[in-house]
Amino acid sequence: MNDETMEFQYMIKISSIPYEYRLGWRYTRARKGSRKNTFISFISGVSMLGIALGVAALIIVLSVMNGFQKEVRDRMLAVVSHIEITSTTDSSLDNWQTLQSSLQNNSEIAGMAPYVSEQALLVKGELMRGSMIRGIDPLQEHRVAEFATQLPESMRSQLQAGRFGVILGEELAQAMNIQVGDAVVILSPGGQFSPAGMLPRMKQLRVIGLFRSGHYEFDASLVLLNIEDAKALFRLNGPSGLRLKLNQPQQAKYMSGLLQSELGSAYSVNDWTMQNKTWFAAVQVEKRMMFIILTLIVAVAAFNLVSTLVMTVTDKLADIAILRTLGATPMSIMFIFMLQGTMVGVIGTLLGFVGGTTVALNIDVIVPFIENLLGAHFLPKDIYFISSMPSDPQVADIAPIVLISLVLSLVATLYPSWRASRVNPAEALRYE
């Protein structure tokens, strides 16, 4: 009887821990002096590392995508309306005060303000840029737009009716080399006919301040002026519509449908998800596809366990036969090798979870370090709206990742373990 047989008998008879657990852990580790066992353990380590990298990559990528979506959404909601109500029968909403009074008692609405929204050309010298002109009431705008609360009181006080002062986004001012105090010209559509054709209306305005919302698209195109000046400039009888701010922006779609049914077909109710529907849909599709692609990486690493366990079973045929002769049942043999593969999967998943979560929580430090090291900038703000790498790890994403990894690791052990349980002791020991 060799040393391994005596060790098996010892573990079966006197160990307080079930021998299946001890053997499963023993086969996972390399044994000194055994080149074949060392190689098998190396393959197990590679499988473990593959699972860890796959799980970590999934957590990091989905956290970054969540952070990107949240960051852009929050910056967007600081500028855009949660809900906009406009008239379907006229270009202006003449009875906006009556409408505002009727909605005053709605507990879901945090604030309301009228607005004018038109597109025009902003001109300074030879430079010309298409802009979104928004007429606002300086006394009410802070109720519906968070960025308005960041405007200095002195700047808002200068935005008076009849003075035709404007506040520009910093990116727009920088692109057109505009400073505070400069004169700019707005060319608005819907001008008058002349012998030379249609002439646009022109109005000179004075820049009284600059703002930064944190969202490049608005900072590079938005122009604010007093709502009365905007109505005069675009020849409107009233505001374009009424802007609403909700206590819970995520309920905007539900609330817009509710208000639409209450107000009827005379009004059009649009929420912020409809205004940016294509962008948010694209992000969700990308997130779903990245989850599928990276899950396949985890699956490949998990099913590497099949080859690892097949090699282990082939190497341990004699051990299996001896265990069977000592009274081990086929289910015990199967459990030993399932436990070996599951240990690799659990350890790999745990390492991936810890590593991925750590990187996701500290990505605001890691990415700038890599950018400084490589002298590169990963997120040009004129393309991606934001210039820093955000991250938002969510349990709703991490829990399925961990669960899928563990399930794939367990499934990968079934066939090799079943083959091990079918080993015939007499056949295995014939050539020993």
Side-chain angles (χ1 to χ4, degrees):
M1 185 176 295
N2 57 31
D3 294 338
E4 288 191 354
T5 303
M6 295 178 63
E7 186 174 356
F8 289 145
Q9 287 181 318
Y10 176 78
M11 286 189 295
I12 292 174
K13 291 180 179 179
I14 68 172
S15 176
S16 59
I17 301 175
Y19 71 91
E20 292 94 344
Y21 290 95
R22 295 175 61 88
L23 283 177
W25 175 244
R26 175 189 176 90
Y27 288 162
T28 305
R29 299 175 297 147
R31 294 186 61 196
K32 296 181 180 180
S34 177
R35 182 176 299 178
K36 184 179 291 186
N37 283 342
T38 301
F39 177 73
I40 292 174
S41 186
F42 171 76
I43 298 300
S44 298
V46 170
S47 301
M48 185 186 302
L49 182 61
I51 294 172
L53 291 176
V55 170
L58 257 174
I59 292 174
I60 294 169
V61 170
L62 294 184
S63 297
V64 169
M65 296 190 75
N66 289 334
F68 183 81
Q69 184 176 2
K70 181 178 182 296
E71 191 75 15
V72 174
R73 183 184 65 238
D74 290 347
R75 296 189 183 190
M76 188 181 297
L77 290 177
V79 183
V80 303
S81 315
H82 293 176
I83 291 179
E84 292 182 358
I85 303 177
T86 57
S87 174
T88 57
T89 59
D90 196 357
S91 59
S92 60
L93 191 66
D94 299 336
N95 63 336
W96 68 271
Q97 292 173 323
T98 303
L99 180 61
Q100 185 175 19
S101 299
S102 67
L103 299 174
Q104 200 73 43
N105 296 326
N106 194 317
S107 60
E108 297 297 326
I109 299 176
M112 292 177 281
Y115 74 99
V116 168
S117 181
E118 295 287 345
Q119 293 184 351
L121 289 177
L122 187 68
V123 181
K124 182 192 177 186
E126 297 182 355
L127 297 176
M128 186 177 298
R129 180 70 67 91
S131 303
M132 176 61 69
I133 311 299
R134 179 184 294 176
I136 64 172
D137 185 340
L139 300 179
Q140 300 188 57
E141 185 65 13
H142 67 279
R143 300 174 183 173
V144 295
E146 292 183 8
F147 88 101
T149 61
Q150 301 174 5
L151 299 177
E153 183 63 33
S154 58
M155 188 184 300
R156 282 185 285 175
S157 64
Q158 295 182 58
L159 204 64
Q160 297 178 5
R163 300 182 64 175
F164 288 93
V166 293
I167 303 174
L168 307 181
E170 288 187 3
E171 297 294 339
L172 177 60
Q174 183 177 359
M176 299 186 67
N177 194 25
I178 297 174
Q179 304 293 330
V180 176
D182 289 352
V184 295
V185 175
I186 286 184
L187 298 179
S188 61
Q192 57 187 4
F193 288 99
S194 71
M198 174 68 76
L199 293 178
R201 291 193 303 272
M202 294 186 296
K203 181 63 180 179
Q204 181 172 296
L205 305 101
R206 182 72 58 181
V207 179
I208 62 174
L210 306 177
F211 73 86
R212 176 176 290 278
S213 67
H215 194 295
Y216 178 83
E217 183 179 0
F218 296 106
D219 290 341
S221 63
L222 189 59
V223 177
L224 303 177
L225 73 161
N226 189 283
I227 189 170
E228 297 299 327
D229 295 341
K231 288 193 293 184
L233 179 63
F234 297 107
R235 298 181 181 177
L236 298 174
N237 297 324
S240 301
L242 190 65
R243 304 177 69 201
L244 308 183
K245 180 180 179 181
L246 304 179
N247 293 316
Q248 298 182 5
Q250 302 301 329
Q251 297 293 323
K253 190 171 184 179
Y254 168 76
M255 284 298 301
S256 64
L258 189 63
L259 291 174
Q260 184 69 76
S261 62
E262 291 179 358
L263 298 176
S265 60
Y267 299 94
S268 175
V269 182
N270 295 312
D271 64 89
W272 64 270
T273 62
M274 296 170 63
Q275 297 173 10
N276 304 276
K277 184 177 181 179
T278 304
W279 187 86
F280 285 105
V283 171
Q284 288 300 321
V285 171
E286 290 175 2
K287 182 179 176 182
R288 196 173 298 116
M289 292 306 299
M290 289 302 299
F291 183 87
I292 294 173
I293 292 171
L294 294 176
T295 300
L296 292 177
I297 296 176
V298 178
V300 170
F303 280 95
N304 280 340
L305 291 174
V306 175
S307 59
T308 302
L309 291 178
V310 168
M311 294 173 62
T312 304
V313 170
T314 303
D315 181 56
K316 303 297 183 182
L317 287 177
D319 296 355
I320 295 171
I322 294 171
L323 283 172
R324 290 295 308 278
T325 59
L326 293 175
T329 65
M331 287 301 298
S332 295
I333 302 299
M334 186 174 180
F335 184 72
I336 289 171
F337 291 97
M338 285 182 63
L339 188 63
Q340 178 188 354
T342 302
M343 283 181 180
V344 173
V346 169
I347 295 173
T349 301
L350 181 62
L351 291 175
F353 166 75
V354 173
T357 305
T358 301
V359 173
L361 292 174
N362 296 279
I363 205 163
D364 56 333
V365 177
I366 297 173
V367 171
F369 173 77
I370 297 175
E371 289 180 338
N372 293 331
L373 191 65
L374 301 178
H377 195 62
F378 298 150
L379 289 176
K381 60 183 178 181
D382 57 339
I383 298 176
Y384 297 101
F385 303 125
I386 56 178
S387 57
S388 59
M389 186 78 74
S391 179
D392 181 26
Q394 296 183 1
V395 175
D397 290 327
I398 296 177
I401 293 171
V402 172
L403 182 61
I404 289 173
S405 177
L406 293 176
V407 169
L408 289 176
S409 300
L410 178 62
V411 171
T413 66
L414 295 178
Y415 177 74
S417 302
W418 177 78
R419 292 292 299 176
S421 68
R422 304 289 293 178
V423 170
N424 188 325
E427 291 292 332
L429 294 175
R430 175 176 296 179
Y431 301 104
E432 291 294 327

